Amino acid sequence: MKPPTKKEISMAGQRIRHRAAVGALGAIALTAGAITTGLTLPTASAATWPTPSGSPQAVTKTISVSGTTDGGMKRYYGSGDLGSGGQDEGQDPLFELADGATLKNVILGSPAADGVHCKGSCTLQNVWWEDVGEDAATFRGTGKTYNVIGGGARKASDKVFQFNGGGTLNISGFAVQDFGKLVRSCGNCSSQYKRTINVSDTEVTAPGKAIGGINTNYGDSLTLRGITIIGDSSKKIVPCQKYIGNNTGKEPTENGSGPDGTYCKYSSSDITYK
């Protein structure tokens, strides 16, 4: 067999480059389509932590967001009154979202104060917390829908997402590592509500204590689908922890754990261990 000519090699290279370009465009189109149509994005991975763009921006006063704010993958961090880096309750957030607002393509560095507050329905899209302060995000309001699409958080000694309001919280395509709980339905808020939490296509990397904590006495539920847990061969991370909540400020008591079809909605096939 004759060796290929330079012309044949060149033409083959052009075909390979063409196929690669088409594949890249297809991937971009798929991602854009998923965002615009509301389809679940591919699972975020702790191994694909984003690199910030531009110069980091110090935040000395809470940034108010209405409509849509695109951070362009810039890193924001607390400074001045927002720069203590502590775990104290009652800190102000770096971002506060009005009802219906969207915050996307943002990296919260350290210190991150109390992260993000949503006053009502909100969307957090591709938001990353490098070192969670008090909480990564807190959801307020009543009868609202809150969406966390993509992104990730790490180094949360307590909670990542604090669900104080009422309604439905959807978390999809998220990555969490080194944490206490991924999401907690407030166990002792002065105003209590029924809260519905859905977590899907999410990567959980040990160490961690629980994926979700809910209050059975207020009718909460946690649904898990497509969860991957990494580095927890002994299965110490509790998928769904149940509590008896209260509105007096006292520490809530535990009320069991595990799937029951009513409060903790998942089966063994919904969780993969690696």
Side-chain angles (χ1 to χ4, degrees), residues 1-220:
M1 181 179 293
K2 294 182 179 181
T5 65
K6 291 183 178 180
K7 181 177 180 180
E8 290 171 334
I9 293 174
S10 176
M11 291 178 66
Q14 291 176 3
R15 287 195 293 271
I16 291 172
R17 287 191 294 273
H18 174 73
R19 287 195 294 268
V22 171
L25 289 173
I28 293 172
L30 175 61
T31 301
I35 292 173
T36 57
T37 61
L39 296 175
T40 300
L41 295 173
T43 303
S45 171
T48 57
W49 207 266
T51 300
S53 65
S55 300
Q57 180 173 329
V59 180
T60 59
K61 183 179 179 180
T62 300
I63 299 172
S64 297
V65 176
S66 59
T68 298
T69 292
D70 188 332
M73 299 311 295
K74 178 183 289 188
R75 177 191 280 132
Y76 295 81
Y77 66 94
S79 182
D81 291 341
L82 297 177
S84 70
Q87 296 290 328
D88 298 335
E89 294 288 339
Q91 294 184 64
D92 289 330
L94 297 188
F95 294 90
E96 184 175 68
L97 276 60
D99 190 12
T102 295
L103 179 67
K104 63 181 183 179
N105 301 325
V106 165
I107 298 175
L108 278 71
S110 178
D114 201 27
V116 178
H117 286 186
C118 288
K119 298 175 70 175
S121 295
C122 69
T123 297
L124 304 179
Q125 182 179 314
N126 198 34
V127 176
W128 299 81
W129 289 263
E130 294 180 326
D131 189 338
V132 175
E134 182 183 343
D135 299 314
T138 302
F139 304 97
R140 307 178 187 278
T142 59
K144 302 294 184 177
T145 299
Y146 318 86
N147 296 306
V148 178
I149 305 171
R154 59 190 178 192
K155 300 179 182 178
S157 61
D158 191 6
K159 306 170 297 296
V160 175
F161 297 124
Q162 176 71 29
F163 196 177
N164 289 349
T168 300
L169 170 59
N170 302 308
I171 303 169
S172 63
F174 198 74
V176 61
Q177 56 178 301
D178 190 6
F179 65 102
K181 296 181 181 69
L182 171 58
V183 58
R184 177 67 171 103
S185 177
C186 185
N188 53 15
C189 285
S190 57
S191 296
Q192 291 285 23
Y193 312 93
K194 177 181 178 179
R195 304 175 178 102
T196 301
I197 304 171
N198 302 303
V199 182
S200 63
D201 302 320
T202 289
E203 181 184 270
V204 177
T205 302
K209 295 180 180 179
I211 296 176
I214 57 173
N215 306 313
T216 57
N217 56 317
Y218 294 120
D220 294 353

